Amino acid sequence: MKRIHQIASILLLFAISIQPSLSQHIQNIIREEVFIPLSDGIKLGAIVYRPAQTGKFPALVYRTPYGVDDYDSYAELPRKAAKRGYVVFLVDVRGRYRSEGNFEAYRNEKKDGYDVIEWVAQSDFCDGKVGTFGGSYPGIVQWQAMSMNPPHLVAAAPEMTPISSHHFFYYGGAFSLPWIDWFTPYILPDKRKRANDTSGSWDDEEASAEWEKSNRRQWYDYRPLNELPVFKNYAPEYFEWLKHPEQSAWWDFVDAESEFENFNAPAFLLSGWYDAAYGPEGATRAFNKMKKEAASDVARNQTRLILGPWNHTSLNTRKTKFGEIEFGEAAGFDFDFELLNWFDMQMKSETGQSKLPPVSIFVMGKNFWRSETEWPLSRTQPVSFYLDGRGKASSTPDDGKLIKTVAEKEGSDQFIFDPKNPLWDKSYEKSFPYDQREIESRQDVLVFTSAPMEQDTEVIGEIVAELFVSSTAKDTDFAITLTDVYPDGRSINLTGMDAGYLRMRYRNGFDKQELMVPGRVYPIRISQMYTANVFKSGHCIRIQVTSSKAPHYDPNPNTGNEIASEKNLIPATNIVYHSKKYPSRLILPILAPN
């Protein structure tokens, strides 16, 4: 009997047709405002674009917590898609702006995503085929919906997003502090408005401007983390996240990594070398899981991976300069054009539309695209560069070195890491390439540099550092950054600064904590950094080793106590060893010259 009632509820849900509250014609397309009912009775507000002609069309769905009105004010893709024969639904997620219900970040997106996709498939103007698109939060909600295996979903385009919840919230085991910069300007204004709370702005743009002018550093430096006052009223999920630092089943509500064997729809995957660290990690891992585990041939064969020189949500066909580097005309990727061509192939069976290869890789340094069939490239070879130094490695000539053979002499380099004075990344809001020499002059940053390249050297793939380290603390962090050193001395980072991080208590796995014995030497592996770059002849390869990357991650208190509730911050002396016994090394995937 319970099953009969469930079926009846679903049929009632899908029987409701589009009943627009507002409708207008715009250049041969129609814009409407509608409500989409969910299976629990909540209604989601949406803007719909569709062709101004009779018939049924494939549908595209974009779900966002940032307000469809804001997206609609600047995005060109919905109108382009409608003119091309799609009906496009821009949907505010539960509890945001036009939509009913209570918003809790990521918590309801699996079931709500399923309901929206299946309702859209049955709506008046849809031919039963549904695709999804969007990046960042609108990207991860696609993976969440896909994990429910909606039968009418035929294509998805989750860009710049993770597939693993734990890498998203606790990258390398350290908590991601930019949630402060997410909740405060983007989430809290609408929550205050719903509560009729006049203690702060209700307008996102105004709240963002106020936030940027404020002393944000006080909140990044605030301890303990689990008493942050600005979130007490409107972001209870933040405090729940802090209670679950380990990788566990608790995070399944947002995780999609174990669901790929159920996926029938192919994916259009995109990220950038300067995207948030979870972006290239999520895109590359998703590509391989789709190729190996997906449930259908089309999902395995039609999934596409694009990796460019971009940062998070910065994709623009006209923008080719990021930070201090101009990447040239080739970097001006026409995202809307390529995505719609791919949707045409998946949803309209127009097989000749998309010309993209399975994998597209933008190679920095020489600024060109590689068309590939795999990731990682099997024709790259792992090449080791061993660390060598004189006690306090720096960028000074003959000090910290990267060499091709293991250091002959027993040696180590050390620094004092003070969590009250962490390394601060000026590009933390939107990662970009910039000259690292100011950072490399810090006393708590070790710098190891290769000899100048004798010929152009192309690196494509995952960057790995295998280090032997110790500390005077029971717990601390180690972090690396890879840079390209130009003949004029500039040292340009080749990934976002948040990549390459490890909290030592999680050195043996993110599902358990193991504190250190002060003074004991431990082997560690820092990975999940991705790039493609030609180190030109005369350029040098450089790696930084340090113990903080603020405000990307909370600086480790070094006490070994519970991180979230710790108030005390103490210095630690951290050591990197390099010798035959402790062969610390950087491993680069180098592509052999043709």
Side-chain angles (χ1 to χ4, degrees):
M1 183 64 69
K2 183 178 180 181
R3 176 63 174 165
I4 292 173
H5 285 305
Q6 289 175 333
I7 294 173
S9 297
I10 293 172
L11 290 175
L12 178 62
L13 170 67
F14 295 149
I16 300 173
S17 62
I18 292 179
Q19 297 180 3
S21 57
L22 290 173
S23 180
Q24 61 186 121
H25 289 251
I26 309 170
Q27 297 178 335
N28 298 319
I29 60 176
I30 295 174
R31 180 189 185 276
E32 299 173 332
E33 299 178 7
V34 306
F35 284 95
I36 298 174
L38 301 178
S39 55
D40 64 356
I42 293 293
K43 295 183 179 67
L44 304 185
I47 295 171
V48 181
Y49 284 95
R50 60 180 175 85
Q53 60 201 63
T54 58
K56 290 181 178 287
F57 310 94
L60 301 178
V61 173
Y62 175 89
R63 294 191 296 131
T64 180
Y66 304 123
V68 294
D69 292 279
D70 178 66
Y71 180 73
D72 187 43
S73 69
Y74 68 84
E76 299 176 358
L77 191 145
R79 297 171 182 83
K80 291 178 182 177
K83 291 177 182 179
R84 199 150 161 169
Y86 291 92
V87 53
V88 184
F89 290 78
L90 311 178
V91 186
D92 281 327
V93 299
R94 178 188 293 256
R96 300 294 290 165
Y97 299 98
R98 293 170 174 257
S99 295
E100 299 174 350
N102 296 316
F103 177 76
E104 183 180 351
Y106 307 100
R107 176 62 67 176
N108 298 296
E109 305 302 354
K110 286 190 176 185
K111 184 61 170 64
D112 287 0
Y114 179 95
D115 285 354
V116 169
I117 289 167
E118 290 306 297
W119 184 88
V120 164
Q122 303 289 338
S123 62
D124 289 348
F125 303 105
C126 181
D127 65 2
K129 295 181 179 179
V130 180
T132 58
F133 69 97
S136 195
Y137 195 111
I140 198 169
V141 298
Q142 294 176 69
W143 289 123
Q144 290 177 277
M146 289 174 74
S147 72
M148 299 289 290
N149 199 21
H152 289 92
L153 180 68
V154 298
E159 304 100 36
M160 298 188 174
T161 192
I163 59 172
S164 168
S165 55
H166 198 261
H167 288 133
F168 191 26
F169 296 88
Y170 283 90
Y171 196 88
F175 186 65
S176 295
L177 278 187
W179 289 113
I180 296 174
D181 260 315
W182 184 73
F183 275 108
T184 307
Y186 301 124
I187 302 302
L188 301 191
D190 186 57
K191 286 203 169 191
R192 284 193 292 262
K193 182 178 180 180
R194 288 168 179 262
N196 199 31
D197 178 356
T198 58
S199 64
S201 175
W202 294 0
D203 180 79
D204 288 359
E205 289 188 11
E206 185 178 291
S208 294
E210 291 174 356
W211 177 245
E212 290 172 5
K213 293 177 183 178
S214 68
N215 177 20
R216 289 181 281 177
R217 183 84 183 242
Q218 66 177 314
W219 305 120
Y220 282 113
D221 291 341
Y222 191 90
R223 294 297 182 276
L225 296 174
N226 64 3
E227 293 183 9
L228 190 67
V230 292
F231 290 166
K232 286 291 185 180
N233 293 330
Y234 296 116
E237 57 267 58
Y238 170 85
F239 301 100
E240 287 299 311
W241 299 343
L242 286 170
K243 293 177 183 177
H244 298 86
E246 279 78 50
Q247 190 172 20
S248 69
W250 186 86
W251 292 101
D252 287 351
F253 71 96
V254 69
D255 196 85
E257 194 160 17
S258 63
E259 306 292 341
F260 277 73
E261 62 183 16
N262 298 319
F263 293 173
N264 289 292
F268 188 93
L269 307 169
L270 180 142
S271 186
W273 306 129
Y274 298 96
D275 190 2
Y278 57 74
E281 165 73 11
T284 54
R285 190 185 297 190
F287 177 78
N288 283 321
K289 290 181 77 68
M290 291 292 284
K291 297 287 284 186
K292 296 174 184 177
E293 300 176 20
S296 70
D297 287 341
V298 68
R300 290 189 292 270
N301 297 328
Q302 295 300 321
T303 290
R304 295 292 180 261
L305 173 64
I306 302 112
L307 299 165
W310 314 300
N311 56 15
H312 194 63
T313 67
S314 67
L315 197 60
N316 187 299
T317 58
R318 295 170 294 278
K319 186 175 181 180
T320 61
K321 184 177 181 181
F322 298 94
E324 299 176 8
I325 302 297
E326 169 60 59
F327 289 106
E329 185 178 351
F333 184 82
D334 193 335
F335 174 74
D336 291 358
F337 175 80
E338 297 293 355
L339 178 58
L340 288 175
N341 281 348
W342 182 80
F343 274 136
D344 283 351
M345 190 166 74
Q346 309 310 321
M347 304 182 72
K348 298 181 180 180
S349 299
E350 296 181 8
T351 55
Q353 287 294 92
S354 180
K355 307 296 184 183
L356 288 174
V359 180
S360 301
I361 301 169
F362 188 90
V363 183
M364 300 182 292
K366 286 196 171 179
N367 300 335
F368 69 99
W369 287 95
R370 282 197 174 277
S371 297
E372 302 291 343
T373 61
E374 61 180 356
W375 177 275
L377 304 188
S378 58
R379 64 185 189 279
T380 61
Q381 297 295 321
V383 177
S384 294
F385 293 83
Y386 294 91
L387 277 60
D388 190 18
R390 296 184 174 183
K392 197 170 185 179
S394 72
S395 56
T396 304
D398 299 323
D399 201 335
K401 295 181 179 180
L402 291 173
I403 58 179
K404 290 293 185 70
T405 57
V406 179
E408 291 291 331
K409 297 180 179 179
E410 296 289 323
S412 63
D413 288 87
Q414 68 180 45
F415 58 92
I416 297 174
F417 161 50
D418 183 355
K420 295 179 181 178
N421 181 31
L423 182 155
W424 191 269
D425 173 26
K426 69 180 184 181
S427 76
Y428 75 93
E429 291 178 293
K430 294 284 186 183
S431 291
F432 54 76
Y434 65 95
D435 192 345
Q436 297 284 302
R437 282 180 289 185
E438 181 177 352
I439 285 176
E440 291 166 358
S441 69
R442 289 178 58 108
Q443 296 301 303
D444 57 356
V445 178
L446 303 180
V447 181
F448 301 88
T449 310
S450 74
M453 297 293 101
E454 296 180 357
Q455 61 183 5
D456 289 357
T457 302
E458 188 170 347
V459 172
I460 299 180
E462 184 177 19
I463 311 307
V464 176
E466 293 180 348
L467 307 177
F468 293 85
V469 301
S470 71
S471 177
T472 56
K474 295 179 180 179
D475 184 40
T476 194
D477 297 346
F478 282 94
I480 64 171
T481 299
L482 179 70
T483 75
D484 183 342
V485 183
Y486 287 59
D488 62 9
R490 286 177 296 155
S491 178
I492 305 297
N493 52 301
L494 296 176
T495 66
M497 290 292 288
D498 57 333
Y501 207 85
L502 179 65
R503 180 145 290 172
M504 285 297 289
R505 67 176 67 194
Y506 296 112
R507 65 191 178 277
N508 292 322
F510 299 121
D511 59 342
K512 57 184 177 181
Q513 299 187 31
E514 295 182 40
L515 296 180
M516 306 167 67
V517 175
R520 179 179 293 179
V521 179
Y522 294 95
I524 61 171
R525 188 177 193 270
I526 302 177
S527 57
Q528 298 178 344
M529 298 178 64
Y530 302 88
T531 199
N533 184 71
V534 173
F535 292 88
K536 293 181 179 179
S537 176
H539 288 224
C540 300
I541 298 168
R542 176 172 290 170
I543 184 178
Q544 304 168 9
V545 182
T546 187
S547 287
S548 60
K549 288 188 176 183
H552 297 292
Y553 308 108
D554 61 301
N556 198 313
N558 293 328
T559 62
N561 298 330
E562 180 187 64
I563 300 287
S565 59
E566 181 61 270
K567 294 182 179 180
N568 298 319
L569 307 178
I570 63 173
T573 299
N574 293 340
I575 304 175
V576 178
Y577 299 84
H578 38 74
S579 64
K580 288 184 177 180
K581 183 178 181 181
Y582 300 123
S584 293
R585 61 178 178 163
L586 170 69
I587 306 171
L588 298 180
I590 293 180
L591 190 64
N594 294 331

